[in-house]
Amino acid sequence: MTQALSRQLTLDLTTPPAHARADFLPAPANRAALAALDAPMSWPNGRMLLIGPEGAGKTHLAAFWAAENGARRIAAGALRPDAPDMLAAKGGAVVVEDADRSGFGAGVEQALFHLWNLCGPRDCLLMMTARRPPRDWGLVLPDLRSRMDAMPQVHLGPPDEALLAAVLVKLFADRQLAVPAGLIDWLVLHMDRDLGLARRLVAAMDHAAMAQKGPVTRRIAAELLDKLSEADA
């Protein structure tokens, strides 16, 4: 069996990330967002925009919120002119993820504008996620820009050390990776409090350990953390 095939088989056996509510890690950084999402009937006009950096938990929150509210989920970039009418069910709910990527095409913007207009009269909850506020999305349609700017927002804050440590534990567990004692504490002390960086780092450590056909080590962690930190600088 070739190394490439061995690696592919190993990757295929990786456990998918757990996105149930029970797997979510409550913390001061996400307390306000979690409280807002748990009270959708209080959303102004039934709409809410969740903003947070890469890896902050937007997808996880959207996944279990959609499951609990019977919502249909779609990536903003996948919106097409015929999608809004099918998504916005009477009394239903819709989740549009990565809305900050909706400014990539006129068809996507038109579909998002149509979805916004349909959700109100149909009493359909509309939850959206984005990494940045609407002013930074690069939207072209003036009417869509004004609606996005006026949309109620809730933000995911930067993680504290406890949340970063808990996220690292979960990321390693999702990949079924055993790590040496003390590695989590070492990483928390030496890396930025950036959950996106944590995700990239754990993935890189997984791939490096597989390539070397050995365990995850502090040496691997240190080398990859230096490389990723330099790339982000």
Side-chain angles (χ1 to χ4, degrees), residues 7 10-18 167-179 198-210 216:
R7 184 180 306 174
T10 305
L11 286 172
D12 288 344
L13 294 174
T14 300
T15 303
V167 167
L168 286 167
V169 169
K170 182 179 184 300
L171 290 171
F172 283 121
D174 284 343
R175 290 177 173 271
Q176 300 180 349
L177 284 176
V179 297
R199 178 165 291 143
R200 296 193 301 276
L201 177 60
V202 171
M205 291 169 66
D206 186 11
H207 295 158
M210 285 190 292
V216 170

Side-chain angles (χ1 to χ4, degrees), residues 45-197:
N45 300 311
R47 302 180 178 101
M48 182 60 67
L49 172 59
L50 174 65
I51 297 177
E54 176 194 356
K58 298 184 300 298
T59 297
H60 195 158
L61 280 164
F64 73 72
W65 187 89
E68 293 174 357
N69 291 275
R72 300 173 180 178
R73 293 172 65 193
I74 189 169
L79 283 170
R80 297 294 180 267
D82 60 340
D85 192 56
M86 295 183 290
L87 290 170
K90 180 69 175 178
V94 182
V95 176
V96 177
E97 299 188 66
D98 298 321
D100 49 320
R101 302 178 188 181
S102 59
F104 290 173
V108 173
E109 290 194 24
Q110 290 283 2
L112 186 56
F113 180 65
H114 187 36
L115 179 63
W116 170 279
N117 288 336
L118 284 176
C119 283
R122 294 185 180 182
D123 294 320
C124 181
L125 293 170
L126 175 60
M127 173 187 168
M128 298 169 60
T129 71
R131 293 168 297 171
R132 301 178 297 271
R135 66 175 179 272
D136 299 326
W137 294 1
L139 296 173
V140 175
L141 290 177
D143 288 341
L144 180 61
R145 282 206 313 269
S146 65
R147 282 161 173 74
M148 294 297 102
D149 285 338
M151 192 171 186
Q153 302 176 9
V154 63
H155 293 254
L156 290 163
D160 57 18
E161 289 186 359
L163 178 57
L164 177 58
V167 167
L168 286 167
V169 169
K170 182 179 184 300
L171 290 171
F172 283 121
D174 284 343
R175 290 177 173 271
Q176 300 180 349
L177 284 176
V179 297
L183 180 60
I184 299 293
D185 291 339
W186 184 88
L187 286 171
V188 169
L189 288 174
H190 289 83
M191 65 183 289
D192 292 338
R193 295 181 188 177
D194 181 337
L195 299 185
L197 172 61

